[in-house]
Amino acid sequence: MTNLEPPTNHGSPSAVGSVVAIRGSVVDVRFAANLPAIHQLLEADNGRIIIEVLSQRDANTVRGIAMTPTQGLARGAVVSAKGFVLRAPVGKVILSRMFDVFGNTIDGEPDIASTDVQWRSVHNAPPALTQRATKADIFETGIKIIDVLLPLERGGKTGLFGGAGVGKTVLLTEMIHNMIGHHNGVSIFCGIGERSREGEELYREMKAAGVLPNMVMLFGQMNEPPGARFRVGHAALTMAEYFRDDQHRDVLLLIDNIFRFIQAGSEVSGLMGQMPSRLGYQPTMGTELAQLEERIANTDNGAITSIQAVYVPADDFTDPAAVHTFSHLSASIVLSRKRAAQGLYPAIDPLQSSSKMATPGIVGAHHYALAQAIRSTLAQYADLKDIIAMLGLEQLSPDDRKLVSRARRLERFFTQPFFTTEQFSGIKGQLVSLADALNGCERILNDEFNDLPESAFYMIGAVDALNANAT
């Protein structure tokens, strides 16, 4: 299974059985005695094939999902019960390393010494309500449009919603970069069903940026069986819980992509023979997602703050996967293909996106009032766009023309050059403090920059850079 195989649980006697049926990744195994418990691991072909028990069919037969390819497995093959469930390695030695779902290192570096690592079950209960912190703190990202309009919660869950190619992964990697300066914690990146190319690029970028010493990466890439993709998120959470509960450190958990977790669960459910629910999703989708999401919490020891990319199938926000994910989030960041086509990066739609933190009691009365004024300006501009398209800007009243001018300047001010895209754009990345972002928005709303063209506000950091951009 792994070169860091954890010791067997002595309380669970090992058992030997034989394969009676194979259907893709689903394997039925018959045992004469000592029927393995749910979630226990089985191995066949000298450890090459690992199976997780998902149901007990009768007094002698279990049905499991293979977490490795089943090529070469045949009926009658000998299967042995490992005596323990899937576990993840924890400890300070896992920092700066990249793992697969079994805890194998996949970064090409020397293996971790087995004496320095602990192994913990990936099936943990969420923290009790009495252990959770009730104070709401803001988590600054250094990205203007997020910090001003969509403040993130420390210990909360944020979703990045968008279709293919609108910038979810770029925004995630930018947040990792921006956390280094004022986030004295650990970053854990969990790639669920994503491309191996993205994992390799991220590893190189993080190494070059010097942030790898405080980072752990896990990948269950898209060519792996659904069982492995389904469990890699639980393994990442087990590592995050170690740093929060044992090390008392804040953890930034980045998941790319939570839709692939739901998709893997759907594949597992279909292979297990469960009746599909609406649009082909598994009937247990809500339960499976909640078991993962509820473990992400802010406790007295520390906080796990999660930012999750959510692929939206065909840009349809009524899809059950998107709807179920929305219910767990404290902030929803919606990426717009239309804004991306206009070159407004990050392509965040400020009117569709929302945050539960944007209240006067949490961000303060001044910040709240400013954010509301910005939203009102952008919403009125959206209403005027049809009139402008049909009749032209000149047909608007003087007040409406001023409003359009403010809105267009705000839209461009909310663009921001990213550190992770420097090599493509040729523009140096910018990290902007909340105070600078609020100051810039307030001055734009007060018409201080009417003598400057709209283009001067495009791809700048704070408003101090305006003189350099004015043409």
Side-chain angles (χ1 to χ4, degrees), residues 4-247:
L4 294 176
E5 186 173 305
T8 302
N9 243 347
H10 296 296
S12 195
S14 61
V16 176
S18 62
V19 174
V20 293
I22 307 164
R23 289 175 301 282
S25 294
V26 171
V27 183
D28 288 356
V29 185
R30 183 177 296 279
F31 290 86
N34 296 333
L35 198 67
I38 302 294
H39 297 319
Q40 195 171 124
L41 294 185
L42 315 176
E43 72 172 19
D45 199 7
N46 296 320
R48 184 181 68 85
I49 297 171
I50 302 297
I51 302 161
E52 184 183 48
V53 176
L54 289 188
S55 69
Q56 296 178 339
R57 306 290 292 169
D58 54 44
N60 297 101
T61 311
V62 295
R63 176 168 289 178
I65 189 84
M67 305 183 76
T68 52
T70 54
Q71 284 89 342
L73 188 65
R75 282 188 294 177
V78 175
V79 176
S80 60
K82 299 292 289 178
F84 52 80
V85 300
L86 183 66
R87 299 182 183 186
V90 297
K92 291 183 179 178
V93 290
I94 69 172
L95 289 170
S96 80
R97 304 304 301 269
M98 186 190 289
F99 298 93
D100 66 9
V101 68
F102 299 115
N104 295 316
T105 53
I106 54 173
D107 51 13
E109 301 292 326
D111 292 335
I112 296 172
S114 58
T115 53
D116 298 330
V117 71
Q118 302 173 43
W119 291 87
R120 293 188 181 174
S121 167
V122 303
H123 304 282
N124 295 325
L129 284 174
T130 52
Q131 297 175 325
R132 296 183 184 235
T134 54
K135 186 183 175 189
D137 291 325
I138 297 300
F139 193 81
E140 278 194 41
T141 64
I143 298 170
K144 290 179 286 190
I145 190 167
I146 293 177
D147 289 341
V148 172
L149 296 180
L150 316 162
L152 307 189
E153 179 187 8
R154 176 180 173 268
K157 296 176 275 285
T158 301
L160 297 181
F161 290 83
V166 293
K168 296 185 298 296
T169 302
V170 170
L171 196 53
L172 276 185
T173 52
E174 182 67 12
M175 285 183 184
I176 297 172
H177 275 277
N178 290 3
M179 291 312 133
I180 305 158
H182 56 271
H183 175 71
N184 184 25
V186 179
S187 293
I188 296 180
F189 186 94
C190 177
I192 305 177
E194 289 299 297
R195 304 162 188 84
S196 56
R197 168 185 61 77
E198 292 177 346
E200 189 269 338
E201 286 175 358
L202 181 68
Y203 181 79
R204 268 193 292 108
E205 288 169 7
M206 296 302 105
K207 198 169 186 178
V211 303
L212 215 52
N214 281 316
M215 192 168 181
V216 186
M217 292 189 224
L218 284 94
F219 283 94
Q221 57 203 50
M222 57 170 52
N223 66 313
E224 293 186 28
R229 286 182 272 126
F230 188 60
R231 289 298 179 214
V232 72
H234 297 94
L237 264 167
T238 300
M239 294 178 178
E241 286 164 346
Y242 164 80
F243 288 110
R244 179 192 65 192
D245 300 334
D246 292 40
Q247 298 290 315

Side-chain angles (χ1 to χ4, degrees), residues 263-312:
Q263 194 175 46
S266 179
E267 290 179 50
V268 170
S269 174
L271 288 166
M272 293 292 291
Q274 293 178 346
M275 184 70 71
S277 183
R278 184 168 161 243
L279 296 184
Y281 287 105
Q282 65 272 39
T284 53
M285 176 171 64
T287 305
E288 290 167 359
L289 188 62
Q291 285 172 345
L292 186 79
E293 297 280 9
E294 287 300 304
R295 290 169 64 181
I296 301 168
N298 184 1
T299 71
D300 298 331
N301 297 322
I304 300 175
T305 303
S306 175
I307 301 171
Q308 308 167 7
V310 186
Y311 168 70
V312 181

Side-chain angles (χ1 to χ4, degrees), residues 144 413 432 435-444 448-449 452 456-457 460-468:
K144 290 179 286 190
F413 179 63
V432 183
D436 285 343
L438 290 171
N439 176 49
C441 293
E442 191 166 21
R443 293 173 69 183
I444 290 170
E448 280 191 36
F449 303 109
L452 293 177
F457 295 83
I460 63 169
V463 285
D464 301 338
L466 275 172
N467 293 333

